[in-house]
Amino acid sequence: MYLAADHTLTLIDQAVARSDSATLRAAIRAAFVGNAPVEHIATRARTTIAGVLAVIDEMYAEPAAC
């Protein structure tokens, strides 16, 4: 189930307030999947667009071979 973009942006606000980087990264990913504009995600997460894209890139990274 995907969350609405507005709700995911609220999750970003909460993670920033708690200084919880793991939750923030998860909220950034959820906001992206929920079609929130990248500019809004970056603003709410208090980071750059490049920072948001780096978190999103992790979603698509190939797992390391053993």
Side-chain angles (χ1 to χ4, degrees):
M1 179 173 103
Y2 296 115
L3 301 174
D6 290 341
H7 180 69
T8 58
L9 293 173
T10 301
L11 294 176
I12 291 173
D13 291 338
Q14 292 171 356
V16 167
R18 289 189 306 236
S19 299
D20 184 352
S21 63
T23 303
L24 178 59
R25 295 171 92 74
I28 288 171
R29 290 184 196 109
F32 179 77
V33 170
N35 293 322
V38 176
E39 297 85 0
H40 292 190
I41 297 170
T43 300
R44 294 285 187 98
R46 298 182 184 158
T47 189
T48 63
I49 291 173
V52 171
L53 294 177
V55 171
I56 293 166
D57 282 344
E58 293 172 359
M59 289 173 33
Y60 300 104
E62 297 273 333
C66 295

